[in-house]
Amino acid sequence: MITSVKEILNKAKEGGYAVGAFNTTNLETTRAIIDAAKELKSPVIIQMTEKTLEYAGGRAIFNLVKNIAEFYAPEIPIGIHLDHGKSLEIVDRCINIGFPSVMYDGSRKIYSDNALITKNVVELCHEKDVCVQGELGSVPYIGEGEMGEIDWDKYMTIPEQAAQFVKETGIDALAVAIGNAHGFFKERAVPDYDRLEAIHKLVDIPLVLHGASDWENDKVQEVISRGICCFNVDTATRLAFVNSLANSFRDQHNLSFDIRKLLGDAQHEVKNTVMKKIGYFGSGGKI
Ligand code: G3H
Ligand code: 13P
Ligand code: ZN
């Protein structure tokens, strides 16, 4: 059942657990996420980036997710969301397609520009009942930083500024930077838990943690207890998919030419990865 992302997040916030927001690019990943959520009776968010909309076609991928969710998992709350929208134009395009939730990511802009454009996005979206995630501070990508080292102070969310940002823009959820990073192996050694706690005290909307692919259970629990109620996961599921294909191709003697076998195995591995994450997040059974 397609469900408002705001409702899914607020329920998690009140319930003291988190939901996963998993990126999809295709049929197999979408089926894997939905099958995992169905098996664990977990609410879930399925999201797509601009690059995926270009790759798959915006309407094609949106309707693929919507149809699978509605037909195969009518009992599971499933949110559909634009991840890392970087302009008003892409937000507008997604609203026209039917996306019920978007992220506007102005995190690399100076504060005043980020706040102004985010506020405009919120005005546009709320008129159409579309919910909006903003980002303040900035979650780095793997490969950024001189000599491989990241100057974390440049990226971190400042708690007082976060409170101001939420008030000024009217966003429904906030992505925070507390030492998390996109992709594997680049996190700050220990997340800034005190900073998260301070943000949580000042900000009363759901907090989202991007780059959760390599977050194991202990760190996940620490940040849930300090207000995170959504984790974004992409790299881990991509890796599961690609590793499965690589393993299939390694065994040349038994290589199948049935694409459904190759992609079906990959789908199975993605499903296992999503189930493991849902287990950490504590959203199983929360439908
Ligand atoms: O956080 C965003 C994604 O992991 C990057 O995905 O390659 O689809 O832009 P993309
Ligand atoms: P990872 O690829 O590190 O899981 O990050 C995903 C993400 O933040 C999507 O917005
Ligand atoms: Zn992200």
Side-chain angles (χ1 to χ4, degrees), residues 18-25 29-30 32-33 36 44-49 52 81 83-84 103 133 139 141 180-184 187 208-217 220 228-241 269-283:
V19 290
F22 297 94
N23 289 66
T24 190
T25 53
T29 306
T30 305
I33 299 165
V44 75
I45 296 165
I46 303 184
Q47 57 189 10
M48 292 135 259
T49 63
T52 297
H81 176 73
D83 187 28
H84 290 287
M103 173 185 192
Q133 179 185 138
V139 180
Y141 287 83
N180 46 317
H182 290 101
F184 279 155
E187 314 289 321
V208 181
L209 189 127
H210 284 237
S213 275
D214 47 356
W215 279 51
E216 293 297 332
N217 201 26
V220 164
I228 293 294
C229 55
C230 179
F231 291 92
N232 279 20
V233 175
D234 189 5
T235 304
T237 46
R238 289 190 196 200
L239 210 66
F241 198 115
E269 293 307 318
V270 174
K271 180 184 170 192
N272 286 340
T273 304
V274 172
M275 285 179 73
K276 185 172 155 196
K277 290 291 183 186
I278 288 176
Y280 292 166
F281 302 157
S283 59

Coordinates of all heavy atoms in Angstrom, one line a residue, residues 18-25 29-30 32-33 36 44-49 52 81 83-84 103 133 139 141 180-184 187 208-217 220 228-241 269-283:
A18 N 13.6 2.6 13.4 CA 13.9 3.3 12.2 C 13.4 2.5 11.0 O 13.3 1.3 11.1 CB 15.4 3.6 12.1
V19 N 13.2 3.2 9.9 CA 12.9 2.5 8.6 C 14.0 2.6 7.7 O 14.8 3.6 7.8 CB 11.6 3.0 8.0 CG1 10.3 2.7 8.8 CG2 11.7 4.5 7.7
G20 N 14.1 1.7 6.7 CA 15.1 1.8 5.7 C 14.5 2.5 4.5 O 13.4 2.3 4.1
A21 N 15.3 3.4 3.9 CA 15.0 4.0 2.6 C 16.0 3.4 1.6 O 17.2 3.8 1.7 CB 15.1 5.5 2.7
F22 N 15.6 2.5 0.8 CA 16.5 1.8 -0.1 C 16.4 2.3 -1.5 O 15.3 2.5 -2.0 CB 16.1 0.3 -0.1 CG 16.3 -0.4 1.3 CD1 15.2 -0.5 2.2 CD2 17.5 -0.9 1.7 CE1 15.4 -1.1 3.4 CE2 17.7 -1.4 2.9 CZ 16.6 -1.5 3.8
N23 N 17.5 2.5 -2.1 CA 17.5 3.0 -3.5 C 17.3 1.8 -4.5 O 17.8 0.7 -4.3 CB 18.9 3.6 -3.9 CG 19.1 4.9 -3.2 OD1 19.2 5.0 -2.0 ND2 19.1 6.0 -3.9
T24 N 16.5 2.1 -5.5 CA 16.3 1.1 -6.6 C 16.7 1.8 -7.9 O 16.7 3.0 -8.1 CB 14.8 0.6 -6.6 OG1 14.8 -0.5 -7.5 CG2 13.9 1.7 -7.1
T25 N 17.1 0.9 -8.8 CA 17.3 1.3 -10.2 C 16.6 0.5 -11.2 O 16.5 0.8 -12.4 CB 18.8 1.2 -10.5 OG1 19.2 -0.2 -10.3 CG2 19.7 2.1 -9.7
T29 N 15.8 -5.1 -8.1 CA 16.1 -4.4 -6.8 C 14.7 -4.1 -6.2 O 14.6 -4.3 -5.0 CB 17.0 -3.2 -7.0 OG1 18.1 -3.6 -7.7 CG2 17.3 -2.6 -5.7
T30 N 13.8 -3.6 -7.0 CA 12.5 -3.2 -6.4 C 11.8 -4.4 -5.8 O 11.3 -4.4 -4.7 CB 11.6 -2.6 -7.5 OG1 12.3 -1.5 -8.1 CG2 10.3 -2.1 -7.0
A32 N 13.2 -7.1 -4.8 CA 13.9 -7.6 -3.6 C 13.5 -6.8 -2.4 O 13.3 -7.4 -1.3 CB 15.4 -7.5 -3.9
I33 N 13.4 -5.5 -2.5 CA 13.1 -4.6 -1.4 C 11.7 -5.0 -0.9 O 11.4 -5.1 0.3 CB 13.2 -3.1 -1.8 CG1 14.6 -2.7 -2.2 CG2 12.8 -2.2 -0.6 CD1 14.7 -1.4 -2.9
A36 N 11.5 -8.4 0.7 CA 12.1 -8.4 2.1 C 11.1 -7.7 3.1 O 10.9 -8.3 4.2 CB 13.4 -7.6 2.0
V44 N 8.5 0.4 4.5 CA 9.8 0.6 3.8 C 9.6 1.8 2.9 O 8.5 2.1 2.5 CB 10.2 -0.7 3.1 CG1 9.4 -0.9 1.8 CG2 11.7 -0.7 2.7
I45 N 10.8 2.5 2.6 CA 10.7 3.6 1.6 C 11.6 3.1 0.4 O 12.7 2.6 0.6 CB 11.3 4.9 2.2 CG1 10.3 5.3 3.4 CG2 11.4 6.0 1.2 CD1 10.9 6.4 4.3
I46 N 11.1 3.3 -0.8 CA 11.8 3.0 -2.0 C 12.1 4.3 -2.7 O 11.2 5.1 -2.9 CB 11.1 2.0 -2.9 CG1 10.7 0.7 -2.1 CG2 11.9 1.7 -4.1 CD1 10.0 -0.3 -2.9
Q47 N 13.4 4.5 -3.0 CA 13.7 5.8 -3.5 C 14.6 5.7 -4.8 O 15.3 4.7 -5.0 CB 14.4 6.7 -2.5 CG 15.7 6.1 -1.9 CD 16.2 6.8 -0.7 OE1 15.6 7.7 -0.2 NE2 17.4 6.5 -0.2
M48 N 14.5 6.8 -5.6 CA 15.3 6.8 -6.8 C 16.0 8.2 -6.9 O 15.5 9.2 -6.5 CB 14.3 6.8 -8.0 CG 13.7 5.4 -8.1 SD 11.9 5.6 -8.5 CE 11.2 5.3 -6.9
T49 N 17.2 8.2 -7.5 CA 17.9 9.4 -7.7 C 17.6 9.9 -9.1 O 17.1 9.2 -10.0 CB 19.4 9.2 -7.6 OG1 19.8 8.3 -8.6 CG2 19.8 8.7 -6.2
T52 N 18.9 7.7 -11.8 CA 18.0 6.6 -12.1 C 16.8 7.0 -12.9 O 16.4 6.2 -13.8 CB 17.6 5.9 -10.7 OG1 18.7 5.5 -10.1 CG2 16.6 4.8 -11.0
H81 N 10.0 7.8 -3.0 CA 10.6 9.1 -2.7 C 11.7 9.4 -3.7 O 12.4 8.5 -4.2 CB 11.3 8.9 -1.3 CG 12.1 10.0 -0.7 ND1 11.6 11.2 -0.3 CD2 13.4 10.1 -0.6 CE1 12.6 12.0 0.2 NE2 13.7 11.3 0.0
D83 N 15.3 10.8 -4.2 CA 16.5 10.9 -3.4 C 17.4 11.9 -4.0 O 17.7 11.9 -5.2 CB 17.2 9.5 -3.3 CG 18.3 9.5 -2.3 OD1 18.3 10.2 -1.3 OD2 19.2 8.6 -2.5
H84 N 17.9 12.9 -3.2 CA 19.0 13.8 -3.7 C 18.5 14.6 -4.9 O 19.3 14.8 -5.8 CB 20.3 13.2 -4.0 CG 21.0 12.7 -2.7 ND1 21.6 13.5 -1.8 CD2 21.2 11.4 -2.2 CE1 22.1 12.8 -0.8 NE2 21.8 11.5 -1.0
M103 N 13.3 14.6 -1.9 CA 14.4 15.3 -1.1 C 14.9 16.4 -2.0 O 15.1 16.2 -3.2 CB 15.5 14.3 -0.9 CG 16.7 15.0 -0.2 SD 18.1 13.9 -0.1 CE 19.2 14.9 1.0
Q133 N 12.1 16.3 2.2 CA 13.3 16.1 3.1 C 14.4 17.2 2.7 O 14.6 17.3 1.5 CB 13.9 14.7 2.9 CG 15.1 14.4 3.7 CD 15.7 13.0 3.4 OE1 16.9 12.9 3.3 NE2 14.9 12.0 3.3
V139 N 26.6 15.4 3.6 CA 27.1 14.0 3.8 C 28.1 13.8 2.6 O 27.7 13.7 1.5 CB 26.0 13.0 3.8 CG1 26.5 11.6 3.9 CG2 25.0 13.3 4.9
Y141 N 30.8 12.1 -0.1 CA 30.8 10.9 -1.0 C 32.2 10.3 -0.9 O 33.2 11.0 -0.8 CB 30.5 11.3 -2.4 CG 29.0 11.6 -2.6 CD1 28.5 12.9 -2.3 CD2 28.1 10.6 -3.0 CE1 27.2 13.2 -2.4 CE2 26.7 10.9 -3.1 CZ 26.3 12.2 -2.8 OH 24.9 12.5 -2.8
N180 N 28.8 10.6 9.0 CA 28.4 9.5 8.1 C 28.8 10.0 6.7 O 29.0 11.1 6.4 CB 26.8 9.3 8.1 CG 26.1 10.6 8.1 OD1 26.4 11.6 8.8 ND2 25.0 10.7 7.4
A181 N 29.0 9.0 5.8 CA 29.4 9.3 4.4 C 28.8 8.3 3.5 O 28.5 7.1 3.8 CB 30.9 9.2 4.3
H182 N 28.6 8.7 2.2 CA 28.1 7.8 1.2 C 29.2 6.8 0.8 O 30.4 7.2 0.6 CB 27.7 8.6 -0.1 CG 26.4 9.4 0.2 ND1 26.5 10.8 0.4 CD2 25.1 9.1 0.2 CE1 25.3 11.2 0.6 NE2 24.4 10.2 0.5
G183 N 28.8 5.6 0.5 CA 29.8 4.6 0.0 C 30.5 3.9 1.2 O 30.4 4.4 2.4
F184 N 31.2 2.9 0.9 CA 31.9 2.1 2.0 C 33.2 2.8 2.4 O 33.9 3.5 1.6 CB 32.3 0.7 1.4 CG 31.1 -0.2 1.5 CD1 31.0 -1.3 0.7 CD2 30.1 0.0 2.5 CE1 29.9 -2.2 0.8 CE2 29.0 -0.9 2.6 CZ 28.9 -2.0 1.7
E187 N 33.6 6.5 6.6 CA 33.0 7.1 7.8 C 34.0 7.7 8.7 O 35.2 7.3 8.7 CB 32.2 6.1 8.5 CG 31.3 5.2 7.7 CD 30.1 5.8 7.1 OE1 29.5 6.7 7.8 OE2 29.8 5.5 5.9
V208 N 17.1 11.9 9.4 CA 17.5 10.8 8.4 C 19.0 10.7 8.3 O 19.7 11.7 8.3 CB 16.9 11.2 7.0 CG1 17.3 10.1 6.0 CG2 15.4 11.4 7.0
L209 N 19.5 9.5 8.3 CA 20.9 9.3 8.2 C 21.3 8.6 6.8 O 20.8 7.5 6.5 CB 21.5 8.4 9.3 CG 23.0 8.3 9.3 CD1 23.5 8.7 10.7 CD2 23.5 6.9 8.9
H210 N 21.9 9.4 6.0 CA 22.4 8.9 4.7 C 23.6 8.1 4.8 O 24.4 8.2 5.8 CB 22.6 10.0 3.7 CG 21.4 10.7 3.2 ND1 21.1 10.8 1.8 CD2 20.3 11.2 3.8 CE1 19.9 11.4 1.7 NE2 19.4 11.7 2.9
G211 N 23.9 7.2 3.8 CA 25.2 6.5 3.8 C 25.2 5.3 4.8 O 26.3 5.1 5.4
A212 N 24.1 4.6 5.0 CA 24.0 3.6 6.1 C 24.5 2.2 5.6 O 24.3 1.3 6.4 CB 22.7 3.6 6.7
S213 N 25.0 2.1 4.4 CA 25.3 0.8 3.9 C 26.3 0.0 4.8 O 26.1 -1.2 5.0 CB 26.0 0.9 2.5 OG 25.0 1.0 1.5
D214 N 27.2 0.7 5.3 CA 28.2 0.0 6.1 C 28.1 0.3 7.6 O 29.0 0.1 8.4 CB 29.7 0.4 5.7 CG 29.8 1.9 5.5 OD1 28.8 2.6 5.7 OD2 31.0 2.3 5.3
W215 N 26.8 0.6 8.0 CA 26.6 0.8 9.5 C 26.1 -0.5 10.1 O 25.0 -1.1 9.7 CB 25.5 1.9 9.7 CG 26.2 3.2 9.6 CD1 27.0 3.7 8.6 CD2 26.1 4.3 10.6 NE1 27.4 5.0 8.9 CE2 26.9 5.4 10.1 CE3 25.4 4.4 11.8 CZ2 27.0 6.6 10.8 CZ3 25.5 5.6 12.5 CH2 26.3 6.7 12.0
E216 N 26.9 -1.0 11.0 CA 26.5 -2.3 11.6 C 25.6 -2.0 12.8 O 25.4 -0.8 13.2 CB 27.8 -3.1 12.1 CG 28.6 -3.6 10.9 CD 27.9 -4.6 10.0 OE1 27.0 -5.3 10.5 OE2 28.3 -4.6 8.8
N217 N 25.1 -3.1 13.4 CA 24.0 -2.9 14.4 C 24.3 -2.0 15.6 O 23.5 -1.2 16.0 CB 23.6 -4.3 14.9 CG 22.3 -4.3 15.5 OD1 21.4 -3.5 15.1 ND2 22.0 -5.2 16.5
V220 N 24.0 1.6 14.6 CA 22.6 1.9 14.2 C 21.8 2.1 15.5 O 21.1 3.1 15.6 CB 22.1 0.7 13.4 CG1 20.5 0.7 13.4 CG2 22.6 0.7 12.0
I228 N 17.6 9.2 15.2 CA 17.5 8.9 13.8 C 16.3 7.9 13.6 O 16.2 6.9 14.3 CB 18.8 8.2 13.3 CG1 20.0 9.2 13.3 CG2 18.6 7.5 11.9 CD1 19.8 10.3 12.3
C229 N 15.4 8.2 12.6 CA 14.3 7.2 12.4 C 14.3 6.8 10.9 O 13.3 6.1 10.5 CB 13.0 7.8 12.9 SG 12.6 9.4 12.2
C230 N 15.3 7.1 10.1 CA 15.4 6.6 8.8 C 16.8 6.5 8.3 O 17.6 7.4 8.6 CB 14.6 7.5 7.8 SG 14.7 7.0 6.1
F231 N 17.2 5.3 7.7 CA 18.5 5.1 7.2 C 18.5 4.9 5.7 O 17.7 4.1 5.2 CB 19.1 3.8 7.8 CG 19.4 3.9 9.3 CD1 18.5 3.5 10.2 CD2 20.7 4.4 9.7 CE1 18.8 3.6 11.6 CE2 21.0 4.5 11.1 CZ 20.0 4.1 12.0
N232 N 19.3 5.7 4.9 CA 19.4 5.5 3.5 C 20.5 4.4 3.1 O 21.6 4.5 3.6 CB 19.8 6.8 2.8 CG 18.6 7.7 2.6 OD1 17.6 7.6 3.3 ND2 18.7 8.7 1.7
V233 N 20.1 3.5 2.3 CA 21.0 2.4 1.9 C 21.0 2.2 0.4 O 19.9 2.0 -0.2 CB 20.5 1.1 2.6 CG1 21.4 -0.1 2.1 CG2 20.6 1.2 4.1
D234 N 22.2 2.3 -0.2 CA 22.3 2.1 -1.6 C 23.5 1.1 -1.9 O 23.3 0.1 -2.5 CB 22.4 3.4 -2.4 CG 22.3 3.3 -3.9 OD1 22.1 2.1 -4.3 OD2 22.5 4.3 -4.6
T235 N 24.7 1.5 -1.5 CA 25.9 0.8 -1.9 C 25.8 -0.7 -1.5 O 26.2 -1.6 -2.3 CB 27.1 1.4 -1.2 OG1 27.2 2.8 -1.6 CG2 28.4 0.7 -1.7
A236 N 25.3 -1.0 -0.4 CA 25.2 -2.4 0.1 C 24.4 -3.3 -0.8 O 24.8 -4.4 -1.1 CB 24.7 -2.5 1.5
T237 N 23.3 -2.7 -1.3 CA 22.4 -3.6 -2.2 C 23.0 -3.6 -3.6 O 22.9 -4.7 -4.2 CB 21.0 -3.0 -2.2 OG1 21.1 -1.6 -2.4 CG2 20.2 -3.2 -0.9
R238 N 23.6 -2.5 -4.0 CA 24.3 -2.6 -5.4 C 25.4 -3.6 -5.3 O 25.6 -4.4 -6.3 CB 25.0 -1.3 -5.7 CG 24.0 -0.1 -6.0 CD 24.9 1.0 -6.5 NE 24.1 2.3 -6.4 CZ 24.5 3.3 -7.2 NH1 25.5 3.3 -8.0 NH2 23.8 4.4 -7.1
L239 N 26.1 -3.6 -4.3 CA 27.3 -4.6 -4.2 C 26.8 -6.0 -4.1 O 27.3 -6.9 -4.8 CB 28.0 -4.3 -2.8 CG 29.5 -4.6 -2.9 CD1 30.2 -3.7 -3.9 CD2 30.1 -4.4 -1.5
A240 N 25.7 -6.3 -3.4 CA 25.1 -7.6 -3.4 C 24.7 -8.0 -4.8 O 25.0 -9.2 -5.2 CB 23.9 -7.6 -2.4
F241 N 24.1 -7.1 -5.5 CA 23.7 -7.4 -6.9 C 24.9 -7.7 -7.8 O 24.9 -8.8 -8.5 CB 23.0 -6.1 -7.4 CG 22.1 -6.3 -8.6 CD1 20.7 -6.2 -8.5 CD2 22.6 -6.7 -9.8 CE1 19.9 -6.3 -9.6 CE2 21.8 -6.9 -11.0 CZ 20.4 -6.7 -10.8
E269 N 20.1 -12.1 -3.6 CA 21.1 -11.6 -2.7 C 20.7 -10.2 -2.2 O 21.0 -9.8 -1.0 CB 22.5 -11.5 -3.4 CG 23.1 -12.9 -3.8 CD 23.2 -13.8 -2.5 OE1 23.6 -13.3 -1.5 OE2 22.8 -15.0 -2.6
V270 N 20.1 -9.4 -3.0 CA 19.7 -8.0 -2.6 C 18.6 -8.2 -1.5 O 18.7 -7.5 -0.5 CB 19.2 -7.2 -3.8 CG1 18.6 -5.9 -3.3 CG2 20.3 -7.0 -4.8
K271 N 17.7 -9.1 -1.7 CA 16.7 -9.3 -0.7 C 17.3 -9.7 0.7 O 16.9 -9.1 1.7 CB 15.7 -10.4 -1.2 CG 14.6 -10.7 -0.2 CD 13.7 -11.9 -0.6 CE 12.8 -12.3 0.5 NZ 12.1 -13.6 0.3
N272 N 18.3 -10.6 0.7 CA 19.0 -10.9 1.9 C 19.6 -9.7 2.6 O 19.5 -9.6 3.8 CB 20.0 -12.0 1.7 CG 19.4 -13.4 1.4 OD1 18.3 -13.6 1.7 ND2 20.2 -14.2 0.8
T273 N 20.2 -8.9 1.8 CA 20.9 -7.7 2.3 C 19.8 -6.7 2.9 O 20.0 -6.2 4.0 CB 21.6 -6.9 1.2 OG1 22.5 -7.8 0.6 CG2 22.4 -5.7 1.7
V274 N 18.7 -6.5 2.2 CA 17.7 -5.7 2.8 C 17.1 -6.2 4.1 O 16.9 -5.5 5.0 CB 16.5 -5.5 1.7 CG1 15.3 -4.7 2.3 CG2 17.1 -4.7 0.5
M275 N 16.9 -7.6 4.1 CA 16.4 -8.2 5.3 C 17.3 -8.0 6.5 O 16.9 -7.7 7.6 CB 16.1 -9.7 5.1 CG 14.9 -9.9 4.2 SD 14.5 -11.6 3.9 CE 14.0 -12.2 5.5
K276 N 18.6 -8.1 6.2 CA 19.6 -7.9 7.3 C 19.5 -6.5 7.9 O 19.5 -6.2 9.1 CB 21.0 -8.2 6.8 CG 22.1 -8.1 7.8 CD 23.4 -8.6 7.2 CE 24.6 -8.0 8.0 NZ 25.8 -8.1 7.3
K277 N 19.4 -5.5 6.9 CA 19.3 -4.1 7.4 C 18.0 -3.8 8.1 O 18.0 -3.2 9.2 CB 19.3 -3.2 6.1 CG 20.7 -3.1 5.4 CD 21.7 -2.4 6.3 CE 23.0 -2.3 5.7 NZ 24.0 -1.7 6.6
I278 N 16.9 -4.4 7.6 CA 15.6 -4.2 8.3 C 15.7 -4.7 9.8 O 15.2 -4.2 10.7 CB 14.4 -4.8 7.5 CG1 14.2 -4.0 6.3 CG2 13.2 -5.0 8.4 CD1 13.1 -4.6 5.4
G279 N 16.4 -5.8 9.9 CA 16.7 -6.4 11.2 C 17.4 -5.4 12.1 O 17.0 -5.3 13.3
Y280 N 18.4 -4.8 11.6 CA 19.1 -3.7 12.4 C 18.2 -2.6 12.8 O 18.2 -2.0 13.9 CB 20.3 -3.1 11.7 CG 21.4 -4.0 11.4 CD1 22.4 -3.6 10.4 CD2 21.6 -5.2 12.0 CE1 23.5 -4.4 10.1 CE2 22.7 -6.0 11.7 CZ 23.7 -5.6 10.8 OH 24.8 -6.3 10.4
F281 N 17.4 -2.2 11.8 CA 16.6 -0.9 12.0 C 15.4 -1.1 13.0 O 14.9 -0.1 13.5 CB 16.1 -0.4 10.6 CG 17.2 -0.1 9.6 CD1 16.9 -0.1 8.3 CD2 18.5 0.1 10.0 CE1 17.9 0.2 7.3 CE2 19.5 0.4 9.1 CZ 19.2 0.4 7.8
G282 N 15.0 -2.4 13.1 CA 13.9 -2.6 14.1 C 12.5 -2.3 13.5 O 11.6 -2.2 14.3
S283 N 12.4 -2.3 12.2 CA 11.1 -2.0 11.6 C 10.2 -3.2 11.3 O 9.1 -3.1 10.9 CB 11.2 -1.1 10.4 OG 12.0 -1.8 9.4

